[in-house]
Amino acid sequence: MENKKVVLIEKSTELFLTYGIQHVSMDDIADKCGISKKTIYKFFENKNDLLLQIITIKIKKLKQILKIYPKKHSNSVKVLYTFFEDIKLIMNKISPILFIEIKKHYPNIFIEILKIKTYTLLPFISENIKQGKEEKLYKNNLKATDLCKSYDTMFNMIFMNYYNNSKSEQQTSISFLNNLFLHRLVSTKGLEELNKLYHKN
């Protein structure tokens, strides 16, 4: 039974990311999983419950992944650069309308997403800035809180307020934002490290 629930979560997540939430019905999910809609309701009360459980699982996984970044990479520039590259890949799989749909139709889910940013992602970036300053790879006069707020505002503009942007436009926008943010952070020493990563990729 538990394996069926895992498959349901994986397949429904794939559908939601690709087509948005409103365009995916419980019948679509049942067809994708090769089961009856009745079976879905053995695990989830409704679509809102399904979404909440998906978000809960993704939050747990994200927290585990964020702990790994500093251990896998030798300095703060590599950590943040790799993190941003991974974010870009993830966002490329997400329908441009997904965040807008969540904000409009699933306010409780939207609040959970905001919590992820506020209590997980932004503290991760803030801690990275602190580490980068200690390594002399970031400018010493940086104010992590202000920078994180600015990044968050621009991120929201890209993914939650644009009604007609395509995936390609999202990719271009997020790449620009991440590169701009990294260049705002790095010192002369850090810029050398950053340029190595650009040339490598």
Side-chain angles (χ1 to χ4, degrees), residues 144-201:
T145 302
D146 292 343
L147 287 166
C148 286
K149 285 181 180 178
S150 296
Y151 183 85
D152 186 40
T153 299
M154 295 180 73
F155 189 92
N156 288 343
M157 289 175 65
I158 295 171
F159 291 103
M160 295 184 186
N161 293 325
Y162 286 1
Y163 282 81
N164 297 307
N165 58 339
S166 64
K167 282 189 178 180
S168 61
E169 288 172 338
Q170 281 190 349
Q171 282 290 86
T172 301
S173 298
I174 196 64
S175 293
F176 177 79
L177 172 59
N178 291 344
N179 289 333
L180 185 68
F181 192 76
L182 282 165
H183 279 85
R184 174 67 182 90
L185 297 180
V186 293
S187 61
T188 302
K189 180 181 176 183
L191 183 58
E192 292 176 3
E193 189 67 40
L194 183 60
N195 284 334
K196 289 178 186 176
L197 293 170
Y198 285 143
H199 291 312
K200 184 177 180 181
N201 295 286

Side-chain angles (χ1 to χ4, degrees), residues 116-131:
I116 296 172
K117 289 197 304 165
T118 303
Y119 299 113
T120 304
L121 293 179
L122 295 181
F124 170 80
I125 294 174
S126 181
E127 183 61 30
N128 176 267
I129 293 173
K130 179 182 176 182
Q131 179 190 345

Side-chain angles (χ1 to χ4, degrees), residues 6-68:
V6 171
V7 171
L8 273 167
I9 287 175
E10 289 177 350
K11 296 295 184 181
S12 57
T13 299
E14 182 183 328
L15 287 171
F16 291 146
L17 293 180
T18 303
Y19 302 107
I21 298 169
Q22 294 299 99
H23 291 84
V24 176
S25 67
M26 296 301 249
D27 287 313
D28 294 327
I29 296 170
D31 290 341
K32 182 76 171 178
C33 296
I35 59 174
S36 68
K37 188 164 70 171
K38 185 177 179 180
T39 302
I40 297 177
Y41 288 114
K42 290 181 181 179
F43 300 100
F44 311 102
E45 293 180 14
N46 47 43
K47 190 189 287 187
N48 190 78
D49 181 40
L50 172 58
L51 285 166
L52 273 174
Q53 292 198 42
I54 289 173
I55 291 293
T56 300
I57 290 170
K58 295 303 179 184
I59 290 173
K60 184 177 179 180
K61 186 175 180 180
L62 176 62
K63 288 179 178 179
Q64 292 171 343
I65 292 172
L66 291 180
K67 290 179 181 179
I68 296 173

Side-chain angles (χ1 to χ4, degrees), residues 130-145:
K130 179 182 176 182
Q131 179 190 345
K133 290 167 70 174
E134 291 173 355
E135 294 170 343
K136 309 297 184 185
L137 293 173
Y138 293 167
K139 300 180 184 76
N140 193 48
N141 62 344
L142 298 174
K143 293 183 179 180
T145 302

Side-chain angles (χ1 to χ4, degrees), residues 82-95:
T82 306
F83 171 70
F84 281 160
E85 287 297 297
D86 290 345
I87 287 291
K88 189 168 65 176
L89 290 174
I90 292 170
M91 291 304 175
N92 192 42
K93 299 177 182 178
I94 298 178
S95 167

